[in-house]
Amino acid sequence: AQSVTQLDSQVPVFEEAPVELRCNYSSSVSVYLFWYVQYPNQGLQLLLKYLSGSTLVKGINGFEAEFNKSQTSFHLRKPSVHISDTAEYFCAFEGGGKLIFGQGTELSVKP
Amino acid sequence: NAGVTQTPKFQVLKTGQSMTLQCAQDMNHNSMYWYRQDPGMGLRLIYYSASEGTTDKGEVPNGYNVSRLNKREFSLRLESAAPSQTSVYFCASSETIGQPQHFGDGTRLSIL
């Protein structure tokens, strides 16, 4: 069965520290992978996407993610976080025309 | 630039009442989707419409119906609301199936 697992439900970090949000997927076919961000009381916004090509993908707000096929992972990273990055982050992959989401990781950036 | 617009933003219903959630997009997208978001469960697909005139079940379709009224609009109906349907509902659209999706701001629905 196709699935997405986000390994951390909550990640607290201090401002200007680096952060990594982990995502693993399970699929027997080629996948398109996405990270979305959800700010409080808002819908989801696309951060970045991997469709093909370079395994290192850069997105908005200084985030990047690396597709690792052998480890079936698509971890999200940022070298220095800001208070404004506090939000919930969702990993997703497109399988059979539908997006399958992970459970979400709540990133909390503290001063 | 409106993008995806959902109405209403908030609604409280009593068990057994019916309700239609409205969604419209102005990006000329072919595909539209309805999700529900519950704590700790991410987003789960209820129904989707790959193109005008077609609709298909997602992961959790029971208790819901949808109508793709035209290319712009995709509504979600609860015929007889149940407390288990208390959730935040999101509509999304994409250029075609498999492309990145654009989301509305959600409808927060409480069923008492």
Side-chain angles (χ1 to χ4, degrees):
Chain A
Q2 297 175 323
S3 65
V4 177
T5 303
Q6 291 182 242
L7 298 165
D8 307 291
S9 59
Q10 294 181 321
V11 174
V13 294
F14 287 106
E15 195 173 18
E16 298 183 8
V19 71
E20 178 180 82
L21 306 185
R22 298 180 294 165
C23 172
N24 286 94
Y25 68 92
S26 172
S27 175
S28 58
V29 298
S30 297
V31 296
Y32 296 157
L33 292 156
F34 307 89
W35 275 98
Y36 285 85
V37 60
Q38 184 181 31
Y39 298 105
N41 298 314
Q42 294 186 26
L44 278 70
Q45 300 174 31
L46 182 67
L47 264 184
L48 48 79
K49 60 187 178 188
Y50 171 78
L51 303 180
S52 64
S54 172
T55 57
L56 184 62
V57 180
K58 293 190 184 297
I60 62 171
N61 300 342
F63 284 93
E64 63 181 33
E66 185 158 18
F67 171 60
N68 188 318
K69 188 174 182 179
S70 62
Q71 297 186 3
T72 60
S73 67
F74 191 55
H75 300 334
L76 181 70
R77 301 185 182 102
K78 186 169 182 177
S80 176
V81 294
H82 301 286
I83 298 285
S84 58
D85 292 323
T86 293
E88 190 155 20
Y89 293 78
F90 291 94
C91 181
F93 81 81
E94 186 273 331
K98 292 172 274 189
L99 274 184
I100 298 171
F101 285 89
Q103 301 90 332
T105 297
E106 201 173 310
L107 176 64
S108 176
V109 182
K110 304 177 188 307
Chain B
N1 222 4
V4 179
T5 303
Q6 292 184 236
T7 56
K9 294 190 186 305
F10 303 93
Q11 186 70 47
V12 179
L13 295 177
K14 294 181 180 178
T15 298
Q17 286 186 312
S18 61
M19 170 82 190
T20 299
L21 308 185
Q22 306 288 352
C23 174
Q25 52 91 8
D26 63 1
M27 296 171 282
N28 202 34
H29 284 170
N30 289 297
S31 304
M32 298 185 73
Y33 314 80
W34 275 106
Y35 296 89
R36 60 177 290 171
Q37 183 179 27
D38 302 291
M41 302 187 75
L43 276 76
R44 293 180 292 168
L45 183 65
I46 304 171
Y47 271 93
Y48 68 103
S49 170
S51 60
E52 188 179 355
T54 69
T55 60
D56 286 286
K57 294 178 180 179
E59 183 184 354
V60 289
N62 291 345
Y64 305 95
N65 286 301
V66 290
S67 295
R68 183 75 183 265
L69 305 170
N70 48 54
K71 191 172 185 179
R72 289 186 66 247
E73 298 172 287
F74 188 40
S75 62
L76 178 73
R77 183 161 177 84
L78 287 70
E79 289 291 351
S80 179
S84 61
Q85 293 177 306
T86 293
S87 188
V88 182
Y89 290 85
F90 286 99
C91 178
S93 70
S94 63
E95 194 170 325
T96 59
I97 284 285
Q99 294 300 308
Q101 296 180 16
H102 299 256
F103 286 79
D105 285 339
T107 294
R108 284 148 186 81
L109 183 62
S110 293
I111 298 155
L112 306 176

